[in-house]
Amino acid sequence: MNLDAILSWYRKFNAREQAYLLAVAVVLALYVMFMLVLKPLAGMRDDMAQRNVVTEEKLSRVQAMASELKQLKSSGSPRANRNMNQLINASTADVGIRPTRISPNSRGETQIRFENVGFAELLRWLYRIEYGEGIAVKEVAINQGDRGGVVKATIRLGAG
């Protein structure tokens, strides 16, 4: 169907019917524009609003956790407030080994040197210090000792 055929069909009607047809065509064009353009835009706007609400909820939860973390860091845990040297001396004595040197450094870490200690006792102490006391074992260097079953070790501990 071409434009001339549509115009000749349109001219068959009287002026009143032509006005009605024109009004129906305008309403139909508006409806099609609404369904193809405005309705999807409104749906996308609603989806965006819902995502914003979810994001705001997540942000408030993260802010609450951050303030709780700041509070915990500022108050300090009982383990963090304990003297590291006292903790090391007490825990090694409980396991039955003795460090030959304890050296704190400026980064808040402590280096401990053991000479000729039982390997099993050293491992037991490392497990206790990390999992029982919450102190991170940052570095471990173990060398064979003077006799079987004993080792020489250098260990660096830090905050958990």
Side-chain angles (χ1 to χ4, degrees), residues 91-115:
S91 62
T92 54
D94 289 347
V95 175
I97 59 177
R98 212 173 106 205
T100 55
R101 187 185 70 214
I102 300 174
S103 307
N105 66 23
S106 61
R107 294 184 307 258
E109 299 173 341
T110 302
Q111 185 171 355
I112 304 132
R113 177 75 183 155
F114 293 96
E115 296 284 337

Side-chain angles (χ1 to χ4, degrees), residues 26-69:
V26 168
V27 168
L28 187 60
L30 289 174
Y31 175 76
V32 168
M33 189 170 74
F34 172 76
M35 293 304 286
L36 294 178
V37 176
L38 297 177
K39 192 170 182 179
L41 285 176
M44 287 188 286
R45 185 198 66 223
D46 293 342
D47 291 344
M48 183 66 73
Q50 181 63 30
R51 283 194 302 255
N52 284 345
V53 168
V54 169
T55 302
E56 285 176 6
E57 290 171 356
K58 288 180 183 178
L59 177 62
S60 66
R61 285 194 306 261
V62 167
Q63 287 173 336
M65 286 188 267
S67 66
E68 182 180 349
L69 182 61

Side-chain angles (χ1 to χ4, degrees), residues 88-99 114-122 124-125 128:
I88 292 168
N89 285 327
S91 62
T92 54
D94 289 347
V95 175
I97 59 177
R98 212 173 106 205
F114 293 96
E115 296 284 337
N116 295 319
V117 296
F119 183 67
E121 289 81 13
L122 180 66
R124 194 174 317 120
W125 177 76
R128 176 181 172 180

